[in-house]
Amino acid sequence: MMNISLRLRRPPWMVDSNGRRMTSHFQWLLLTFILLYLMNQVNSERRGAPRDLKCITNNLRVWDCSWKAPSAAGHGTVYEICIENRSHSCYQSEKTNTKIPALLPGDHEITINHLYDFGNPISKFTLNEKNVSLIPDTPEILNLSADFSTSTIHLKWNDRGSVFPHQLTVIWEIKILRKENMEIVKLITHNTTVNGKDTVHHWSWTSDMPLECAIHSVGIRCYVDDPHFSGRKEWSDWSPLKNISWSPDSQTKVFPQDKVILVGSDITFCCVTQEKVLSAQIGQTNCPLIHLDGENVAIKIHNISVSANSGTNVVFTTEDNIFGTVIFVGYPPDIPQKVNCETYDLKEIVCTWNPGRPTALVGPRNTSYTLFESFSGKYVRFKRVEAPTNESYQLFFQMHPNQEIYNFTLNARNPLGRSESTILINITEKVYPRIPTSIKVKDINSTAVMLSWHLPGNFAKIKLLCQIEINKTNSVQELRNVTIKGVENSSYLVAVDKLNPYTIYTFRIRCSTETFWKWSKWSNEKKYLTTEAIPSKGPDTWREWSSDGKNLIIYWKPLPINEANGKILSYNVSCSLDEETQSLSEIPDPQHKAELQLDKNDYIISVVAKNSVGSSPPSKIASMEIPNDDLKVEQAVGMGNGILLTWNYDPNMTCDYVIKWCNSSRSEPCLMDWKKVPSNSTEAVIESDQFRPGVRYSFFLYGCRNEGYQLLRSIIGYIEELAPIVAPNFTVEDTSADSILVKWEDIPVEELRGFLRGYLFYFEKGERDTSKIRGLESGRSDIKVKNITDLSQKTLRIADLQGKTSYHLVLRAYTDGGMGPEKSMFVVTKENSVGLIIAILIPVAVAVIVGVVTSILCYRKREWIKETFYPDIPNPENCKALQFQKSVCEGNSALKTLEMNPCTPNNVEVLETRSAVPKIEDTEIISPIAERPEESSDAEAENHVVVSYCPPVIEEETPNPGADEAGGASQVVYIDIQSMYQPQAKPEEEQENDPVGGAGYKPQMHLPVTSTVEDLAAEDDLDKAAGYRPQANVNTWNLVSPDSPRSTDSNSEIVSFGSPCSINSRQFLIPPKDEDSPKSSGGGWSFTNFFQNKPND
């Protein structure tokens, strides 16, 4: 609050009273003072004194002070305001306020009284800057506009900076309101500085919602921040609101239209329509609706993702219509990377760069590039090809005369932003020349040429560094650098020397600047043949005496091209003796041999090569050869493509060493090649492209002395040993019962392919075409192997063999290079005579021993053997069973043998009784069994069925016996053959055990008592069988001998011999051999059992 004090004129007594009060009681004085103050206030109010002085400022230059007038003050009252301590500092005012200049800091006394009214009191106030409020004037918005395409509001106002006395900071607060309900969506501050003059300020704000979607209003206020002002500082009042005006378009309903935004941004779309919007979606995604004024709606998309080249659709759907727009989402241009500017010809600068990350924007939204040069102020734009296959980012900038330093800025811009990259270059240091062309070569001499070429460009102010590549056949590539001064006509000449005569060279050129930035690309190759020169050396020569020792053959090698220096036309061969030289012959090329007929004197042979320019220096060689009696043939194996030969140093060798080698398999003279080495050498590696593995070569080391050459060493060797390609040819010289002698031949050197180290001889038992040697090196136990390392041995005897046995023989040779192929043969040893004798004697001895032992055993067991295998057979002539009664055959003058003729019975009577088996008898012929004595029991008699049968007697006259046997009818009589012995009665035990006794010859069928209906059916089937079967019941036969105990001791009256016999025949009627055949009851089978009698019933 403002400190205000009101002072009135007081009487002197009151002052004295006040003095006395201070000396008296303090409490009484305080009460008196309060009373006097209240009385003064009441009196002032009554008299109309001003009160409540307040001051504000809006520009720090003038203070606007106001006060409250008394209630008794009338119209037209004039106030006088005076400021003490200042001359002419009184102001008059008819209002209750006045403007005074800003006061200095500190307290100031202000008096206000009624002018022309002396009865009113005077009001005094103490005024300090701290009690003054700084309130700026209300800002005024000069202009408010909007860019609807970018949803940006542009604000313009005047800061009225001229009203302030000095520079100070002003803070502006701007508020943006949206929709009809004036919802504040943005409140921001903006700082400016005033400097004593009026300034129009601009401020822009981009809305997150299209401006077409809702009403937007803007207001502004300010706050002056003066650090030197100590009073109160307050915000100004808000300016009147201004709105964004937009005229609706009947066609466009969705905003924004075709917007390009940054990936990851948030964006709002709205639909301005009078219809109710049902749904909205972006792409394939539905979005919630945000309701605005009326039926307007909006959707908000957060963190939007990159769109396709064709954009992303945004669709709003109503009941009757569909409204939409397209949005393009991408990236701002990346900073151009790897920016490089260079020149090809110092006429034009080409700048290239890498655009960096793709923006995902195409077409009119794609990135545009501009190259700006700051020194010249010129720029060029990048023109993009509509449909490039391989888009090249480069720009061409025309160089300016006399300008070497260039400062380029490459700007990249698209709807989402811009970026730039700068580069500062000295163009003379960034020269990348083009390819040299039009290369030409001219001769200077046989070892130098002049090389010229064309290089496009203006290089007159710099020097060029060019590189010449020189190639020749079978030689290392050579590079030569030359520095030449640039010229304007772009033609350059360079001399190239130190070449070889008569040599084909290939030249290539590339160039750069002396400061070097990049080499140009290589030019095309240019081939050129230099001119000829005199041969630089004589041919390399050697000599050999012919086999008869009468002629000396001179050999020489053709000169290399770098020594021939041209085409060799001929060779001149001459010899000298005692300093007398004689030209013998001139040999044309390509012949490299000459044969001279010389004696054994020491001649010096010279060979000179000639070309079109001149002759070479002579090559000399002595004809004398010093003999060496102590010479041995050595062996050596090479390494890789060559072979190493060593020898001891010999000071007597004054000239040089010559190593000659040849293929050992060739015919004499053995000459393939030679090599000369200095006399101080002790070793040499012989290499040749003609060396082949597995080929034997002969090496000869010659040492040169003043009087001639001497053969020092003779060596045979291989560059590489291989396995033999053929097997040794071997034959069998001799065979015996226990050994084989084998002999083989040497393998030819050409097929050996290495130094022979031995033979491997394999042998095993085996027949031809059935046995093969497999796994010879696997150590099989059935294969015998002999390793023969004595190379002089050519035979081998294989001992400890088996006689008359086939052996498989295999022979293989081997070297250090491997095992050769095998050759095999099969050999059978001779038969062993001792073994044959032993093989014969042993079986004979065994047979004799077995025979003796068998004879002894048979002699000791002769009775048993006779009884078992050879029993006594009775004589049929003594058989009484063949003695028949006369009455049986009466009426027939001749009896014939029984024949198997079918017959029909005269009468068959079947008597059926209640007994087990009925008895059937013949009424005409009664069997002796039917007339058995009555001591036989009735039950036994009833247990038999006797069929007596005799066919009618048929008499037929036959002229001879042969006709009777053939098929004539004869009289057949069926009789019973009974024992000649008197029948004896059986014991009861035997009768019980043998209910059916034996019988003699009984053609009648015997049916056992225990027969069943099934047996009768079986008998019916038996009767139907074809043939003659008088022995119907073979089970009743008694197969025992007549002299067996069962026969002789039996008491039975029915005993038979065994098989029945016919009347006038001794042949046996053998029972059939089936499962029902009777088994012998004796201890063993005997053939004589068929002749035994059977007891009759």
PDB file of all heavy atoms in Angstrom, residues 165 245 406 477 524 556 620 623 690 718 790 852 864 937 1016:
ATOM      1  N   PRO A 165      11.464   3.880 -22.917  1.00  0.00           N
ATOM      2  CA  PRO A 165      12.651   4.744 -22.949  1.00  0.00           C
ATOM      3  C   PRO A 165      13.932   4.028 -23.318  1.00  0.00           C
ATOM      4  O   PRO A 165      14.885   4.653 -23.775  1.00  0.00           O
ATOM      5  CB  PRO A 165      12.704   5.304 -21.529  1.00  0.00           C
ATOM      6  CG  PRO A 165      12.066   4.247 -20.695  1.00  0.00           C
ATOM      7  CD  PRO A 165      10.983   3.651 -21.563  1.00  0.00           C
ATOM      8  N   SER A 245     -11.530 -17.101 -40.454  1.00  0.00           N
ATOM      9  CA  SER A 245     -12.702 -17.229 -41.325  1.00  0.00           C
ATOM     10  C   SER A 245     -12.396 -18.230 -42.431  1.00  0.00           C
ATOM     11  O   SER A 245     -11.332 -18.217 -43.036  1.00  0.00           O
ATOM     12  CB  SER A 245     -13.060 -15.858 -41.911  1.00  0.00           C
ATOM     13  OG  SER A 245     -11.986 -15.356 -42.680  1.00  0.00           O
ATOM     14  N   TYR A 406      36.271 -23.702 -54.924  1.00  0.00           N
ATOM     15  CA  TYR A 406      34.818 -23.747 -55.040  1.00  0.00           C
ATOM     16  C   TYR A 406      34.240 -24.241 -53.722  1.00  0.00           C
ATOM     17  O   TYR A 406      34.749 -25.198 -53.130  1.00  0.00           O
ATOM     18  CB  TYR A 406      34.381 -24.672 -56.176  1.00  0.00           C
ATOM     19  CG  TYR A 406      34.706 -24.152 -57.560  1.00  0.00           C
ATOM     20  CD1 TYR A 406      35.969 -24.351 -58.114  1.00  0.00           C
ATOM     21  CD2 TYR A 406      33.761 -23.460 -58.296  1.00  0.00           C
ATOM     22  CE1 TYR A 406      36.280 -23.871 -59.369  1.00  0.00           C
ATOM     23  CE2 TYR A 406      34.064 -22.976 -59.572  1.00  0.00           C
ATOM     24  CZ  TYR A 406      35.322 -23.189 -60.104  1.00  0.00           C
ATOM     25  OH  TYR A 406      35.620 -22.707 -61.353  1.00  0.00           O
ATOM     26  N   GLN A 477      56.271 -57.184 -66.296  1.00  0.00           N
ATOM     27  CA  GLN A 477      55.672 -55.905 -66.669  1.00  0.00           C
ATOM     28  C   GLN A 477      56.488 -54.751 -66.093  1.00  0.00           C
ATOM     29  O   GLN A 477      56.943 -54.810 -64.941  1.00  0.00           O
ATOM     30  CB  GLN A 477      54.233 -55.864 -66.166  1.00  0.00           C
ATOM     31  CG  GLN A 477      53.478 -54.614 -66.516  1.00  0.00           C
ATOM     32  CD  GLN A 477      52.107 -54.618 -65.859  1.00  0.00           C
ATOM     33  OE1 GLN A 477      51.973 -54.204 -64.720  1.00  0.00           O
ATOM     34  NE2 GLN A 477      51.111 -55.111 -66.581  1.00  0.00           N
ATOM     35  N   ASN A 524      43.781 -48.092 -74.545  1.00  0.00           N
ATOM     36  CA  ASN A 524      43.896 -49.329 -75.305  1.00  0.00           C
ATOM     37  C   ASN A 524      45.372 -49.671 -75.536  1.00  0.00           C
ATOM     38  O   ASN A 524      46.241 -48.799 -75.547  1.00  0.00           O
ATOM     39  CB  ASN A 524      43.182 -49.199 -76.646  1.00  0.00           C
ATOM     40  CG  ASN A 524      41.687 -49.029 -76.474  1.00  0.00           C
ATOM     41  OD1 ASN A 524      41.114 -49.537 -75.511  1.00  0.00           O
ATOM     42  ND2 ASN A 524      41.059 -48.311 -77.398  1.00  0.00           N
ATOM     43  N   TRP A 556      75.223 -75.860 -81.456  1.00  0.00           N
ATOM     44  CA  TRP A 556      75.002 -74.567 -80.812  1.00  0.00           C
ATOM     45  C   TRP A 556      73.502 -74.316 -80.661  1.00  0.00           C
ATOM     46  O   TRP A 556      72.677 -74.858 -81.401  1.00  0.00           O
ATOM     47  CB  TRP A 556      75.661 -73.432 -81.608  1.00  0.00           C
ATOM     48  CG  TRP A 556      75.143 -73.273 -83.003  1.00  0.00           C
ATOM     49  CD1 TRP A 556      74.090 -72.543 -83.417  1.00  0.00           C
ATOM     50  CD2 TRP A 556      75.687 -73.887 -84.175  1.00  0.00           C
ATOM     51  NE1 TRP A 556      73.912 -72.647 -84.764  1.00  0.00           N
ATOM     52  CE2 TRP A 556      74.884 -73.452 -85.254  1.00  0.00           C
ATOM     53  CE3 TRP A 556      76.783 -74.757 -84.408  1.00  0.00           C
ATOM     54  CZ2 TRP A 556      75.143 -73.877 -86.565  1.00  0.00           C
ATOM     55  CZ3 TRP A 556      77.034 -75.143 -85.712  1.00  0.00           C
ATOM     56  CH2 TRP A 556      76.213 -74.717 -86.765  1.00  0.00           C
ATOM     57  N   LYS A 620      83.799 -69.646 -78.706  1.00  0.00           N
ATOM     58  CA  LYS A 620      84.907 -70.561 -78.927  1.00  0.00           C
ATOM     59  C   LYS A 620      84.811 -71.745 -77.983  1.00  0.00           C
ATOM     60  O   LYS A 620      84.394 -71.602 -76.835  1.00  0.00           O
ATOM     61  CB  LYS A 620      86.237 -69.849 -78.729  1.00  0.00           C
ATOM     62  CG  LYS A 620      86.471 -68.700 -79.727  1.00  0.00           C
ATOM     63  CD  LYS A 620      87.814 -68.041 -79.509  1.00  0.00           C
ATOM     64  CE  LYS A 620      88.044 -66.930 -80.529  1.00  0.00           C
ATOM     65  NZ  LYS A 620      89.380 -66.299 -80.376  1.00  0.00           N
ATOM     66  N   SER A 623      88.495 -78.509 -79.001  1.00  0.00           N
ATOM     67  CA  SER A 623      88.107 -79.828 -79.493  1.00  0.00           C
ATOM     68  C   SER A 623      88.697 -80.949 -78.663  1.00  0.00           C
ATOM     69  O   SER A 623      88.244 -82.087 -78.741  1.00  0.00           O
ATOM     70  CB  SER A 623      88.554 -79.987 -80.953  1.00  0.00           C
ATOM     71  OG  SER A 623      89.985 -79.923 -81.030  1.00  0.00           O
ATOM     72  N   GLN A 690      61.401 -80.005 -70.808  1.00  0.00           N
ATOM     73  CA  GLN A 690      61.291 -81.293 -71.476  1.00  0.00           C
ATOM     74  C   GLN A 690      61.434 -82.480 -70.520  1.00  0.00           C
ATOM     75  O   GLN A 690      61.257 -83.620 -70.931  1.00  0.00           O
ATOM     76  CB  GLN A 690      62.347 -81.402 -72.577  1.00  0.00           C
ATOM     77  CG  GLN A 690      62.202 -80.330 -73.650  1.00  0.00           C
ATOM     78  CD  GLN A 690      63.243 -80.454 -74.746  1.00  0.00           C
ATOM     79  OE1 GLN A 690      63.986 -81.438 -74.782  1.00  0.00           O
ATOM     80  NE2 GLN A 690      63.303 -79.469 -75.636  1.00  0.00           N
ATOM     81  N   TYR A 718      66.384 -89.751 -62.391  1.00  0.00           N
ATOM     82  CA  TYR A 718      65.010 -89.462 -62.749  1.00  0.00           C
ATOM     83  C   TYR A 718      64.623 -88.143 -62.087  1.00  0.00           C
ATOM     84  O   TYR A 718      65.014 -87.858 -60.947  1.00  0.00           O
ATOM     85  CB  TYR A 718      64.057 -90.555 -62.261  1.00  0.00           C
ATOM     86  CG  TYR A 718      64.229 -91.881 -62.965  1.00  0.00           C
ATOM     87  CD1 TYR A 718      65.156 -92.827 -62.499  1.00  0.00           C
ATOM     88  CD2 TYR A 718      63.455 -92.213 -64.070  1.00  0.00           C
ATOM     89  CE1 TYR A 718      65.310 -94.045 -63.125  1.00  0.00           C
ATOM     90  CE2 TYR A 718      63.610 -93.438 -64.705  1.00  0.00           C
ATOM     91  CZ  TYR A 718      64.527 -94.353 -64.234  1.00  0.00           C
ATOM     92  OH  TYR A 718      64.670 -95.552 -64.853  1.00  0.00           O
ATOM     93  N   ASP A 790      68.002-108.649 -54.104  1.00  0.00           N
ATOM     94  CA  ASP A 790      69.222-108.845 -54.874  1.00  0.00           C
ATOM     95  C   ASP A 790      68.856-108.727 -56.351  1.00  0.00           C
ATOM     96  O   ASP A 790      68.250-109.641 -56.936  1.00  0.00           O
ATOM     97  CB  ASP A 790      69.827-110.222 -54.565  1.00  0.00           C
ATOM     98  CG  ASP A 790      71.172-110.433 -55.268  1.00  0.00           C
ATOM     99  OD1 ASP A 790      71.639-109.473 -55.931  1.00  0.00           O
ATOM    100  OD2 ASP A 790      71.733-111.534 -55.152  1.00  0.00           O
ATOM    101  N   VAL A 852      40.600-160.606 -42.286  1.00  0.00           N
ATOM    102  CA  VAL A 852      41.026-161.615 -41.314  1.00  0.00           C
ATOM    103  C   VAL A 852      40.138-161.570 -40.097  1.00  0.00           C
ATOM    104  O   VAL A 852      39.680-162.607 -39.571  1.00  0.00           O
ATOM    105  CB  VAL A 852      42.499-161.395 -40.948  1.00  0.00           C
ATOM    106  CG1 VAL A 852      42.905-162.286 -39.789  1.00  0.00           C
ATOM    107  CG2 VAL A 852      43.386-161.661 -42.165  1.00  0.00           C
ATOM    108  N   TRP A 864      25.435-169.927 -35.365  1.00  0.00           N
ATOM    109  CA  TRP A 864      24.405-168.840 -35.275  1.00  0.00           C
ATOM    110  C   TRP A 864      24.132-168.249 -36.633  1.00  0.00           C
ATOM    111  O   TRP A 864      22.988-167.979 -36.973  1.00  0.00           O
ATOM    112  CB  TRP A 864      24.930-167.746 -34.320  1.00  0.00           C
ATOM    113  CG  TRP A 864      23.992-166.581 -34.231  1.00  0.00           C
ATOM    114  CD1 TRP A 864      22.868-166.480 -33.510  1.00  0.00           C
ATOM    115  CD2 TRP A 864      24.126-165.369 -34.974  1.00  0.00           C
ATOM    116  NE1 TRP A 864      22.264-165.304 -33.695  1.00  0.00           N
ATOM    117  CE2 TRP A 864      23.042-164.556 -34.624  1.00  0.00           C
ATOM    118  CE3 TRP A 864      25.063-164.895 -35.896  1.00  0.00           C
ATOM    119  CZ2 TRP A 864      22.857-163.306 -35.150  1.00  0.00           C
ATOM    120  CZ3 TRP A 864      24.867-163.643 -36.410  1.00  0.00           C
ATOM    121  CH2 TRP A 864      23.791-162.834 -36.049  1.00  0.00           C
ATOM    122  N   SER A 937     -16.359-178.992 -29.287  1.00  0.00           N
ATOM    123  CA  SER A 937     -17.485-178.343 -28.595  1.00  0.00           C
ATOM    124  C   SER A 937     -18.422-177.724 -29.602  1.00  0.00           C
ATOM    125  O   SER A 937     -18.041-177.361 -30.703  1.00  0.00           O
ATOM    126  CB  SER A 937     -16.977-177.247 -27.652  1.00  0.00           C
ATOM    127  OG  SER A 937     -16.307-176.260 -28.393  1.00  0.00           O
ATOM    128  N   LEU A1016     -18.640-157.980 -42.855  1.00  0.00           N
ATOM    129  CA  LEU A1016     -19.336-158.613 -43.958  1.00  0.00           C
ATOM    130  C   LEU A1016     -19.318-157.720 -45.187  1.00  0.00           C
ATOM    131  O   LEU A1016     -19.170-158.187 -46.316  1.00  0.00           O
ATOM    132  CB  LEU A1016     -20.784-158.930 -43.557  1.00  0.00           C
ATOM    133  CG  LEU A1016     -20.927-159.989 -42.445  1.00  0.00           C
ATOM    134  CD1 LEU A1016     -22.385-160.139 -42.046  1.00  0.00           C
ATOM    135  CD2 LEU A1016     -20.367-161.321 -42.898  1.00  0.00           C
TER     136      LEU A1016
END
